[in-house]
Short mmCIF file of all heavy atoms in Angstrom, two decimals:
data_model
loop_
_atom_site.label_atom_id
_atom_site.label_comp_id
_atom_site.label_asym_id
_atom_site.label_seq_id
_atom_site.Cartn_x
_atom_site.Cartn_y
_atom_site.Cartn_z
N GLY B 37 7.79 8.60 -23.40
CA GLY B 37 6.86 7.45 -23.32
C GLY B 37 6.47 7.15 -21.92
O GLY B 37 5.28 6.94 -21.63
N ILE B 38 7.39 7.22 -20.98
CA ILE B 38 7.07 6.94 -19.62
C ILE B 38 6.14 8.04 -19.02
O ILE B 38 5.20 7.70 -18.26
CB ILE B 38 8.35 6.80 -18.74
CG1 ILE B 38 9.10 5.51 -19.15
CG2 ILE B 38 8.04 6.73 -17.24
CD1 ILE B 38 10.41 5.28 -18.43
N THR B 39 6.35 9.25 -19.46
CA THR B 39 5.53 10.31 -19.05
C THR B 39 3.99 10.00 -19.45
O THR B 39 3.06 10.27 -18.67
CB THR B 39 5.94 11.68 -19.62
OG1 THR B 39 7.30 11.91 -19.22
CG2 THR B 39 5.03 12.84 -19.18
N MET B 40 3.85 9.50 -20.64
CA MET B 40 2.49 9.05 -21.06
C MET B 40 1.91 8.01 -20.17
O MET B 40 0.77 8.03 -19.82
CB MET B 40 2.58 8.50 -22.52
CG MET B 40 2.72 9.58 -23.57
SD MET B 40 1.25 10.61 -23.66
CE MET B 40 2.10 12.17 -24.01
N LEU B 41 2.74 7.01 -19.78
CA LEU B 41 2.22 5.95 -18.90
C LEU B 41 1.80 6.49 -17.52
O LEU B 41 0.84 6.02 -16.90
CB LEU B 41 3.31 4.88 -18.56
CG LEU B 41 4.02 4.23 -19.74
CD1 LEU B 41 5.04 3.28 -19.19
CD2 LEU B 41 3.06 3.57 -20.67
N GLU B 42 2.54 7.53 -17.05
CA GLU B 42 2.25 8.10 -15.77
C GLU B 42 1.05 9.06 -15.76
O GLU B 42 0.55 9.41 -14.75
CB GLU B 42 3.51 8.85 -15.22
CG GLU B 42 4.56 7.91 -14.88
CD GLU B 42 5.93 8.69 -14.57
OE1 GLU B 42 5.93 9.94 -14.69
OE2 GLU B 42 6.88 8.03 -14.18
N SER B 43 0.69 9.50 -16.94
CA SER B 43 -0.34 10.55 -17.05
C SER B 43 -1.68 9.99 -16.57
O SER B 43 -2.10 8.88 -16.88
CB SER B 43 -0.46 11.03 -18.47
OG SER B 43 -1.54 11.84 -18.63
N SER B 44 -2.40 10.83 -15.83
CA SER B 44 -3.70 10.44 -15.43
C SER B 44 -4.76 10.98 -16.41
O SER B 44 -5.94 10.70 -16.20
CB SER B 44 -4.00 10.93 -14.01
OG SER B 44 -3.83 12.33 -13.94
N LYS B 45 -4.35 11.69 -17.37
CA LYS B 45 -5.37 12.35 -18.35
C LYS B 45 -5.89 11.19 -19.26
O LYS B 45 -5.18 10.44 -19.89
CB LYS B 45 -4.68 13.35 -19.23
CG LYS B 45 -4.27 14.60 -18.46
CD LYS B 45 -3.71 15.60 -19.36
CE LYS B 45 -3.09 16.76 -18.53
NZ LYS B 45 -2.18 17.60 -19.27
N PRO B 46 -7.25 11.07 -19.34
CA PRO B 46 -7.83 10.06 -20.16
C PRO B 46 -7.33 10.01 -21.59
O PRO B 46 -7.21 9.01 -22.22
CB PRO B 46 -9.33 10.38 -20.10
CG PRO B 46 -9.51 11.22 -18.86
CD PRO B 46 -8.22 11.93 -18.71
N GLU B 47 -7.08 11.23 -22.17
CA GLU B 47 -6.63 11.31 -23.57
C GLU B 47 -5.26 10.69 -23.77
O GLU B 47 -4.93 10.43 -24.93
CB GLU B 47 -6.73 12.74 -24.15
CG GLU B 47 -5.82 13.72 -23.47
CD GLU B 47 -6.40 14.52 -22.25
OE1 GLU B 47 -7.28 13.98 -21.65
OE2 GLU B 47 -6.03 15.68 -22.11
N HIS B 48 -4.55 10.52 -22.70
CA HIS B 48 -3.22 9.86 -22.87
C HIS B 48 -3.28 8.35 -22.75
O HIS B 48 -2.36 7.66 -23.05
CB HIS B 48 -2.27 10.37 -21.81
CG HIS B 48 -1.83 11.88 -22.04
ND1 HIS B 48 -1.33 12.64 -21.09
CD2 HIS B 48 -1.82 12.60 -23.18
CE1 HIS B 48 -1.03 13.82 -21.57
NE2 HIS B 48 -1.37 13.83 -22.83
N HIS B 49 -4.39 7.81 -22.24
CA HIS B 49 -4.52 6.42 -22.01
C HIS B 49 -4.30 5.59 -23.25
O HIS B 49 -3.59 4.63 -23.33
CB HIS B 49 -5.88 6.07 -21.38
CG HIS B 49 -5.94 6.46 -19.94
ND1 HIS B 49 -6.94 6.15 -19.10
CD2 HIS B 49 -5.03 7.12 -19.15
CE1 HIS B 49 -6.73 6.63 -17.91
NE2 HIS B 49 -5.56 7.25 -17.91
N ARG B 50 -5.00 6.03 -24.34
CA ARG B 50 -4.92 5.19 -25.61
C ARG B 50 -3.53 5.24 -26.12
O ARG B 50 -3.03 4.27 -26.61
CB ARG B 50 -5.88 5.79 -26.68
CG ARG B 50 -5.87 5.05 -27.99
CD ARG B 50 -6.84 5.65 -28.95
NE ARG B 50 -8.21 5.45 -28.52
CZ ARG B 50 -8.92 4.41 -28.97
NH1 ARG B 50 -8.41 3.57 -29.84
NH2 ARG B 50 -10.19 4.22 -28.58
N MET B 51 -2.87 6.38 -26.05
CA MET B 51 -1.55 6.56 -26.57
C MET B 51 -0.56 5.64 -25.73
O MET B 51 0.30 4.95 -26.25
CB MET B 51 -1.11 8.02 -26.47
CG MET B 51 0.22 8.27 -27.07
SD MET B 51 0.39 10.02 -27.50
CE MET B 51 2.09 10.02 -28.02
N ALA B 52 -0.77 5.66 -24.44
CA ALA B 52 0.07 4.83 -23.52
C ALA B 52 -0.11 3.41 -23.92
O ALA B 52 0.88 2.58 -24.01
CB ALA B 52 -0.40 5.05 -22.09
N ASP B 53 -1.35 2.91 -24.15
CA ASP B 53 -1.67 1.52 -24.53
C ASP B 53 -0.88 1.17 -25.81
O ASP B 53 -0.28 0.12 -25.98
CB ASP B 53 -3.12 1.31 -24.79
CG ASP B 53 -3.91 1.40 -23.48
OD1 ASP B 53 -3.26 1.54 -22.40
OD2 ASP B 53 -5.13 1.35 -23.50
N GLU B 54 -0.92 2.06 -26.78
CA GLU B 54 -0.23 1.86 -28.11
C GLU B 54 1.30 1.72 -27.90
O GLU B 54 1.93 0.84 -28.42
CB GLU B 54 -0.49 2.93 -29.11
CG GLU B 54 -1.90 2.93 -29.69
CD GLU B 54 -2.13 4.13 -30.63
OE1 GLU B 54 -1.24 4.47 -31.39
OE2 GLU B 54 -3.29 4.66 -30.55
N ILE B 55 1.79 2.56 -27.04
CA ILE B 55 3.25 2.55 -26.82
C ILE B 55 3.62 1.19 -26.11
O ILE B 55 4.65 0.53 -26.53
CB ILE B 55 3.69 3.69 -25.87
CG1 ILE B 55 3.46 5.05 -26.59
CG2 ILE B 55 5.18 3.58 -25.49
CD1 ILE B 55 3.63 6.28 -25.74
N ILE B 56 2.82 0.75 -25.10
CA ILE B 56 3.12 -0.50 -24.46
C ILE B 56 3.05 -1.67 -25.42
O ILE B 56 3.94 -2.48 -25.49
CB ILE B 56 2.24 -0.71 -23.24
CG1 ILE B 56 2.40 0.37 -22.23
CG2 ILE B 56 2.41 -2.10 -22.60
CD1 ILE B 56 1.36 0.45 -21.16
N ASN B 57 1.95 -1.66 -26.19
CA ASN B 57 1.84 -2.75 -27.19
C ASN B 57 2.95 -2.83 -28.22
O ASN B 57 3.36 -3.86 -28.66
CB ASN B 57 0.49 -2.67 -27.85
CG ASN B 57 -0.65 -3.31 -27.00
OD1 ASN B 57 -0.36 -4.34 -26.35
ND2 ASN B 57 -1.79 -2.73 -27.01
N GLY B 58 3.43 -1.62 -28.58
CA GLY B 58 4.54 -1.55 -29.55
C GLY B 58 5.88 -2.03 -28.92
O GLY B 58 6.76 -2.56 -29.64
N CYS B 59 6.02 -1.85 -27.61
CA CYS B 59 7.27 -2.24 -26.96
C CYS B 59 7.31 -3.66 -26.45
O CYS B 59 8.39 -4.29 -26.36
CB CYS B 59 7.51 -1.24 -25.79
SG CYS B 59 7.98 0.41 -26.27
N LEU B 60 6.13 -4.23 -26.14
CA LEU B 60 6.05 -5.52 -25.52
C LEU B 60 6.86 -6.66 -26.28
O LEU B 60 7.51 -7.40 -25.62
CB LEU B 60 4.56 -5.93 -25.30
CG LEU B 60 4.03 -5.58 -23.99
CD1 LEU B 60 2.49 -5.74 -23.95
CD2 LEU B 60 4.60 -6.50 -22.88
N PRO B 61 6.72 -6.72 -27.59
CA PRO B 61 7.49 -7.81 -28.28
C PRO B 61 8.98 -7.71 -28.14
O PRO B 61 9.65 -8.64 -28.37
CB PRO B 61 7.07 -7.61 -29.77
CG PRO B 61 5.84 -6.76 -29.78
CD PRO B 61 5.95 -5.93 -28.54
N HIS B 62 9.45 -6.53 -27.74
CA HIS B 62 10.92 -6.32 -27.60
C HIS B 62 11.38 -6.29 -26.18
O HIS B 62 12.42 -5.83 -25.87
CB HIS B 62 11.30 -5.02 -28.30
CG HIS B 62 10.72 -4.94 -29.68
ND1 HIS B 62 11.38 -5.45 -30.79
CD2 HIS B 62 9.60 -4.41 -30.20
CE1 HIS B 62 10.70 -5.28 -31.87
NE2 HIS B 62 9.57 -4.58 -31.55
N SER B 63 10.49 -6.75 -25.27
CA SER B 63 10.82 -6.61 -23.83
C SER B 63 11.08 -8.00 -23.23
O SER B 63 11.00 -9.02 -23.95
CB SER B 63 9.60 -6.01 -23.11
OG SER B 63 8.55 -6.99 -23.11
N GLY B 64 11.51 -7.99 -22.01
CA GLY B 64 11.67 -9.30 -21.24
C GLY B 64 13.08 -9.81 -21.22
O GLY B 64 13.35 -10.65 -20.44
N LYS B 65 13.98 -9.18 -21.99
CA LYS B 65 15.33 -9.76 -22.02
C LYS B 65 16.30 -9.03 -21.00
O LYS B 65 17.47 -8.86 -21.38
CB LYS B 65 15.89 -9.68 -23.43
CG LYS B 65 15.27 -10.69 -24.34
CD LYS B 65 15.74 -10.54 -25.75
CE LYS B 65 14.64 -10.90 -26.76
NZ LYS B 65 14.04 -9.74 -27.42
N SER B 66 15.84 -8.64 -19.87
CA SER B 66 16.73 -8.09 -18.88
C SER B 66 16.59 -8.89 -17.60
O SER B 66 15.82 -9.79 -17.45
CB SER B 66 16.27 -6.63 -18.59
OG SER B 66 15.15 -6.64 -17.72
N ILE B 67 17.49 -8.52 -16.70
CA ILE B 67 17.29 -9.00 -15.31
C ILE B 67 16.68 -7.82 -14.53
O ILE B 67 17.13 -6.71 -14.68
CB ILE B 67 18.57 -9.57 -14.69
CG1 ILE B 67 18.32 -10.00 -13.20
CG2 ILE B 67 19.75 -8.59 -14.70
CD1 ILE B 67 18.35 -11.48 -13.06
N ARG B 68 15.67 -8.12 -13.80
CA ARG B 68 14.90 -7.04 -13.07
C ARG B 68 15.20 -7.25 -11.56
O ARG B 68 14.92 -8.26 -10.95
CB ARG B 68 13.43 -7.20 -13.28
CG ARG B 68 13.08 -7.13 -14.78
CD ARG B 68 11.64 -7.67 -15.00
NE ARG B 68 11.30 -7.68 -16.44
CZ ARG B 68 10.18 -8.27 -16.97
NH1 ARG B 68 9.41 -8.86 -16.17
NH2 ARG B 68 10.02 -8.23 -18.26
N VAL B 69 15.82 -6.22 -10.95
CA VAL B 69 16.21 -6.31 -9.60
C VAL B 69 15.59 -5.21 -8.76
O VAL B 69 15.62 -4.03 -9.06
CB VAL B 69 17.74 -6.16 -9.49
CG1 VAL B 69 18.21 -6.10 -8.03
CG2 VAL B 69 18.43 -7.33 -10.22
N GLY B 70 14.90 -5.63 -7.68
CA GLY B 70 14.26 -4.65 -6.70
C GLY B 70 15.33 -4.39 -5.62
O GLY B 70 15.96 -5.30 -5.16
N ILE B 71 15.44 -3.12 -5.22
CA ILE B 71 16.34 -2.77 -4.13
C ILE B 71 15.58 -1.96 -3.10
O ILE B 71 14.90 -0.96 -3.46
CB ILE B 71 17.56 -1.95 -4.64
CG1 ILE B 71 18.34 -2.84 -5.59
CG2 ILE B 71 18.43 -1.42 -3.49
CD1 ILE B 71 19.64 -2.19 -6.09
N THR B 72 15.68 -2.38 -1.80
CA THR B 72 15.04 -1.58 -0.81
C THR B 72 15.88 -1.42 0.45
O THR B 72 16.95 -2.05 0.59
CB THR B 72 13.66 -2.19 -0.39
OG1 THR B 72 12.88 -1.19 0.28
CG2 THR B 72 13.83 -3.43 0.44
N GLY B 73 15.43 -0.66 1.34
CA GLY B 73 16.16 -0.36 2.62
C GLY B 73 15.61 0.98 3.21
O GLY B 73 15.08 1.74 2.41
N VAL B 74 15.67 1.15 4.48
CA VAL B 74 15.14 2.35 5.07
C VAL B 74 15.91 3.61 4.62
O VAL B 74 17.08 3.50 4.19
CB VAL B 74 15.21 2.26 6.66
CG1 VAL B 74 14.21 1.31 7.13
CG2 VAL B 74 16.63 2.00 7.15
N PRO B 75 15.27 4.76 4.71
CA PRO B 75 15.99 5.99 4.44
C PRO B 75 17.27 6.07 5.34
O PRO B 75 17.18 5.67 6.47
CB PRO B 75 15.03 7.12 4.87
CG PRO B 75 13.68 6.46 4.86
CD PRO B 75 13.90 5.01 5.15
N GLY B 76 18.37 6.44 4.78
CA GLY B 76 19.61 6.55 5.56
C GLY B 76 20.54 5.33 5.37
O GLY B 76 21.67 5.37 5.79
N VAL B 77 20.02 4.33 4.72
CA VAL B 77 20.89 3.14 4.53
C VAL B 77 21.87 3.34 3.37
O VAL B 77 22.87 2.62 3.22
CB VAL B 77 20.00 1.87 4.27
CG1 VAL B 77 19.52 1.80 2.86
CG2 VAL B 77 20.79 0.56 4.60
N GLY B 78 21.64 4.38 2.60
CA GLY B 78 22.60 4.68 1.44
C GLY B 78 22.17 4.01 0.16
O GLY B 78 23.06 3.60 -0.63
N LYS B 79 20.88 4.03 -0.11
CA LYS B 79 20.42 3.37 -1.37
C LYS B 79 21.00 4.02 -2.62
O LYS B 79 21.45 3.35 -3.52
CB LYS B 79 18.86 3.38 -1.47
CG LYS B 79 18.23 2.15 -0.79
CD LYS B 79 16.76 2.09 -1.12
CE LYS B 79 16.05 3.36 -0.63
NZ LYS B 79 16.02 3.50 0.82
N SER B 80 20.87 5.36 -2.66
CA SER B 80 21.36 6.06 -3.83
C SER B 80 22.83 5.90 -4.10
O SER B 80 23.28 5.62 -5.22
CB SER B 80 21.08 7.60 -3.74
OG SER B 80 19.72 7.77 -3.47
N THR B 81 23.61 6.03 -3.03
CA THR B 81 25.02 5.84 -3.15
C THR B 81 25.39 4.43 -3.62
O THR B 81 26.21 4.24 -4.46
CB THR B 81 25.69 6.12 -1.74
OG1 THR B 81 25.07 7.18 -1.18
CG2 THR B 81 27.17 6.46 -1.93
N PHE B 82 24.63 3.50 -3.01
CA PHE B 82 24.78 2.12 -3.46
C PHE B 82 24.50 1.89 -4.92
O PHE B 82 25.26 1.32 -5.70
CB PHE B 82 23.97 1.13 -2.60
CG PHE B 82 24.01 -0.27 -3.16
CD1 PHE B 82 25.11 -1.06 -2.88
CD2 PHE B 82 23.01 -0.75 -3.96
CE1 PHE B 82 25.17 -2.39 -3.39
CE2 PHE B 82 23.05 -2.04 -4.46
CZ PHE B 82 24.13 -2.86 -4.20
N ILE B 83 23.35 2.41 -5.35
CA ILE B 83 22.90 2.18 -6.77
C ILE B 83 23.92 2.89 -7.69
O ILE B 83 24.25 2.37 -8.78
CB ILE B 83 21.46 2.70 -6.92
CG1 ILE B 83 20.50 1.77 -6.15
CG2 ILE B 83 21.06 2.70 -8.42
CD1 ILE B 83 19.05 2.21 -6.13
N GLU B 84 24.35 4.06 -7.28
CA GLU B 84 25.40 4.73 -8.12
C GLU B 84 26.64 3.88 -8.31
O GLU B 84 27.12 3.65 -9.44
CB GLU B 84 25.71 6.10 -7.48
CG GLU B 84 26.88 6.79 -8.15
CD GLU B 84 26.58 8.23 -8.46
OE1 GLU B 84 25.54 8.49 -9.09
OE2 GLU B 84 27.32 9.12 -8.07
N ALA B 85 27.19 3.32 -7.20
CA ALA B 85 28.36 2.54 -7.32
C ALA B 85 28.11 1.21 -8.08
O ALA B 85 28.85 0.83 -8.96
CB ALA B 85 28.92 2.19 -5.90
N PHE B 86 26.97 0.60 -7.76
CA PHE B 86 26.60 -0.65 -8.34
C PHE B 86 26.31 -0.44 -9.86
O PHE B 86 26.80 -1.24 -10.76
CB PHE B 86 25.35 -1.25 -7.66
CG PHE B 86 25.02 -2.63 -8.09
CD1 PHE B 86 25.94 -3.64 -8.11
CD2 PHE B 86 23.69 -2.92 -8.47
CE1 PHE B 86 25.56 -4.97 -8.50
CE2 PHE B 86 23.34 -4.16 -8.86
CZ PHE B 86 24.28 -5.18 -8.90
N GLY B 87 25.60 0.58 -10.17
CA GLY B 87 25.26 0.87 -11.57
C GLY B 87 26.53 1.17 -12.39
O GLY B 87 26.65 0.62 -13.55
N ASN B 88 27.52 1.91 -11.86
CA ASN B 88 28.65 2.15 -12.62
C ASN B 88 29.46 0.88 -12.83
O ASN B 88 30.04 0.70 -13.87
CB ASN B 88 29.55 3.23 -11.86
CG ASN B 88 29.04 4.64 -12.15
OD1 ASN B 88 28.85 4.97 -13.31
ND2 ASN B 88 28.86 5.43 -11.09
N HIS B 89 29.52 0.01 -11.82
CA HIS B 89 30.18 -1.32 -12.01
C HIS B 89 29.48 -2.08 -13.12
O HIS B 89 30.22 -2.67 -13.97
CB HIS B 89 30.12 -2.05 -10.70
CG HIS B 89 30.54 -3.50 -10.83
ND1 HIS B 89 31.87 -3.86 -11.00
CD2 HIS B 89 29.81 -4.63 -10.88
CE1 HIS B 89 31.90 -5.19 -11.14
NE2 HIS B 89 30.68 -5.71 -11.11
N LEU B 90 28.20 -2.10 -13.10
CA LEU B 90 27.46 -2.82 -14.20
C LEU B 90 27.78 -2.34 -15.53
O LEU B 90 27.88 -3.10 -16.56
CB LEU B 90 25.95 -2.78 -13.92
CG LEU B 90 25.43 -3.50 -12.69
CD1 LEU B 90 23.96 -3.22 -12.43
CD2 LEU B 90 25.66 -5.03 -12.79
N ILE B 91 27.89 -1.02 -15.66
CA ILE B 91 28.18 -0.41 -16.95
C ILE B 91 29.52 -0.83 -17.40
O ILE B 91 29.81 -1.15 -18.59
CB ILE B 91 28.05 1.12 -16.88
CG1 ILE B 91 26.58 1.52 -16.75
CG2 ILE B 91 28.63 1.78 -18.13
CD1 ILE B 91 26.30 2.95 -16.41
N GLU B 92 30.53 -0.85 -16.53
CA GLU B 92 31.88 -1.36 -16.83
C GLU B 92 31.82 -2.78 -17.34
O GLU B 92 32.65 -3.18 -18.16
CB GLU B 92 32.73 -1.29 -15.61
CG GLU B 92 33.29 0.11 -15.29
CD GLU B 92 33.91 0.22 -13.93
OE1 GLU B 92 34.35 -0.88 -13.41
OE2 GLU B 92 33.84 1.26 -13.30
N GLN B 93 30.85 -3.57 -16.85
CA GLN B 93 30.71 -4.96 -17.27
C GLN B 93 29.98 -5.06 -18.59
O GLN B 93 29.66 -6.17 -19.04
CB GLN B 93 29.96 -5.73 -16.22
CG GLN B 93 30.55 -5.78 -14.82
CD GLN B 93 31.90 -6.44 -14.82
OE1 GLN B 93 32.07 -7.52 -15.37
NE2 GLN B 93 32.90 -5.77 -14.27
N GLY B 94 29.61 -3.93 -19.13
CA GLY B 94 28.98 -3.94 -20.50
C GLY B 94 27.48 -3.87 -20.48
O GLY B 94 26.80 -4.00 -21.46
N HIS B 95 26.94 -3.67 -19.24
CA HIS B 95 25.46 -3.55 -19.16
C HIS B 95 24.98 -2.14 -19.48
O HIS B 95 25.67 -1.17 -19.36
CB HIS B 95 24.98 -3.94 -17.75
CG HIS B 95 25.07 -5.44 -17.48
ND1 HIS B 95 24.26 -6.36 -18.05
CD2 HIS B 95 25.90 -6.08 -16.62
CE1 HIS B 95 24.57 -7.58 -17.61
NE2 HIS B 95 25.57 -7.41 -16.76
N LYS B 96 23.68 -2.13 -19.87
CA LYS B 96 22.95 -0.86 -19.99
C LYS B 96 21.93 -0.86 -18.86
O LYS B 96 21.10 -1.81 -18.80
CB LYS B 96 22.27 -0.66 -21.30
CG LYS B 96 23.23 -0.40 -22.50
CD LYS B 96 22.45 -0.04 -23.70
CE LYS B 96 21.76 1.29 -23.66
NZ LYS B 96 20.92 1.58 -24.86
#
Side-chain angles (χ1 to χ4, degrees):
Chain B
I38 293 178
T39 302
M40 283 294 141
L41 306 181
E42 288 170 357
S43 171
S44 55
K45 292 186 189 157
E47 65 264 34
H48 289 160
H49 285 187
R50 180 179 291 264
M51 187 158 174
D53 292 354
E54 284 177 40
I55 296 171
I56 296 167
N57 277 323
C59 289
L60 266 167
H62 310 274
S63 69
K65 288 177 212 102
S66 79
I67 178 110
R68 304 164 184 169
V69 174
I71 296 183
T72 195
V74 290
V77 79
K79 270 189 304 294
S80 304
T81 323
F82 172 79
I83 293 174
E84 172 131 306
F86 187 52
N88 279 311
H89 169 75
L90 292 172
I91 290 171
E92 280 165 29
Q93 303 295 311
H95 287 291
K96 287 186 70 183

